[in-house]
Amino acid sequence: MEFGRETNVIKLDEEFFKEFETELQEAGMSINDLRSCIQCGKCAGTCPMALAGLEFFIKKIVHAATLGLKEIFLDDSSVWGCQSCNRCVEICPMEIKPYELIQAIRRVSFREYAMPSNTIDGLQNYYKLGHAVVVKGYENRRKKVGLPELPPTTLGNKEMRKKFQEMLKNTVLAEVAPFPLD
């Protein structure tokens, strides 16, 4: 045995692992389900976002999930590119539910504030207006085609919007929102 030689050690965060395991269980999965992944890559091969050029490292994500490697989750922004098409779930030969895995990683990452800034903007819009994406100038476009300027959704109904905001205040958002829920 040589002395003075550096060794790389991966420090596992047991608290994080338990939190992540709980997220998986709430999605109807377990770490053991993930361990049955055969790393075939069919999920990435069918992902429209990966086919469109998103660097999506599902094999790395599944491996990190089985070990509870928190830093890999927090550093990998590809999970935020998922468009929820569920093709990955339909094609998985081992019935791993990659979509549910991605959602669990998003929830855990969100609690750590490890998300793209546009996620915060979308969430703030969702809370304030009831829509995650509000296209500038929508009022004029609606008016041009003979529609009322405001749609009959939370965007155009203050009373419904207030009820929606009160409902959101009773969710985990109240604990983790990176902006005030006023």
Side-chain angles (χ1 to χ4, degrees), residues 40 45 52 71 73 80 93-94 97 118 123 136 141 173 180:
C40 67
E71 296 308 316
F73 289 162
W80 298 97
M94 302 306 291
K97 301 181 196 168
N118 64 350
L123 191 57
K136 290 180 183 175
R141 283 191 291 286
L173 181 63

Side-chain angles (χ1 to χ4, degrees), residues 114-177:
M115 66 201 110
S117 62
N118 64 350
T119 303
I120 297 170
D121 296 341
L123 191 57
Q124 196 165 14
N125 282 341
Y126 188 62
Y127 175 74
K128 289 184 175 182
L129 306 171
H131 294 265
V133 178
V134 180
V135 180
K136 290 180 183 175
Y138 69 90
E139 303 97 328
N140 291 335
R141 283 191 291 286
R142 290 180 59 82
K143 197 172 176 180
K144 270 185 182 179
V145 296
L147 295 171
E149 287 185 31
L150 295 173
T153 64
T154 53
L155 195 59
N157 185 325
K158 284 186 181 181
E159 186 178 316
M160 188 182 349
R161 189 166 54 243
K162 292 284 183 206
K163 287 180 182 179
F164 181 69
Q165 289 170 341
E166 288 305 314
M167 180 190 74
L168 289 176
K169 287 179 184 177
N170 292 315
T171 68
V172 71
L173 181 63
E175 299 170 25
V176 299

Side-chain angles (χ1 to χ4, degrees), residues 2 4 26 33 42 53 58 63 69 75 77 97 100 108 110 116 118 124 127 130 134 145 147 156 160 162 169 174 177:
E2 291 181 40
E26 289 178 11
D33 292 337
K42 285 186 175 189
I58 191 66
H63 184 71
L69 300 176
D75 290 341
S77 64
K97 301 181 196 168
E100 296 299 341
V108 170
F110 185 83
N118 64 350
Q124 196 165 14
Y127 175 74
V134 180
V145 296
L147 295 171
M160 188 182 349
K162 292 284 183 206
K169 287 179 184 177

Side-chain angles (χ1 to χ4, degrees), residues 2-150:
E2 291 181 40
F3 290 100
R5 193 171 167 195
E6 285 188 37
T7 304
N8 292 328
V9 176
I10 298 173
K11 184 176 180 190
L12 301 179
D13 185 331
E14 289 184 36
E15 185 177 320
F16 171 79
F17 191 72
K18 287 178 185 175
E19 180 185 345
F20 182 67
E21 199 167 24
T22 300
E23 283 295 338
L24 286 177
Q25 288 169 350
E26 289 178 11
M29 299 177 70
S30 71
I31 294 295
N32 285 334
D33 292 337
L34 292 179
R35 288 185 177 130
S36 66
C37 176
I38 59 173
Q39 298 284 319
C40 67
K42 285 186 175 189
C43 50
T46 193
C47 175
M49 298 309 293
L51 295 172
L54 173 75
E55 290 192 40
F56 183 54
F57 304 110
I58 191 66
K59 291 179 180 183
K60 179 176 79 172
I61 292 168
V62 169
H63 184 71
T66 61
L67 296 175
L69 300 176
K70 177 180 176 179
E71 296 308 316
I72 290 177
F73 289 162
L74 302 183
D75 290 341
D76 187 341
S77 64
S78 72
V79 297
W80 298 97
C82 175
Q83 298 298 303
S84 307
C85 73
N86 269 299
R87 288 180 181 176
C88 55
V89 174
E90 293 169 358
I91 200 165
C92 180
M94 302 306 291
E95 299 180 2
I96 300 294
K97 301 181 196 168
Y99 169 75
E100 296 299 341
L101 170 62
I102 298 299
Q103 296 307 309
I105 292 169
R106 282 180 174 181
R107 289 189 296 272
V108 170
S109 296
F110 185 83
R111 285 192 195 99
E112 298 283 334
Y113 301 108
M115 66 201 110
S117 62
N118 64 350
T119 303
I120 297 170
D121 296 341
L123 191 57
Q124 196 165 14
N125 282 341
Y126 188 62
Y127 175 74
K128 289 184 175 182
L129 306 171
H131 294 265
V133 178
V134 180
V135 180
K136 290 180 183 175
Y138 69 90
E139 303 97 328
N140 291 335
R141 283 191 291 286
R142 290 180 59 82
K143 197 172 176 180
K144 270 185 182 179
V145 296
L147 295 171
E149 287 185 31
L150 295 173

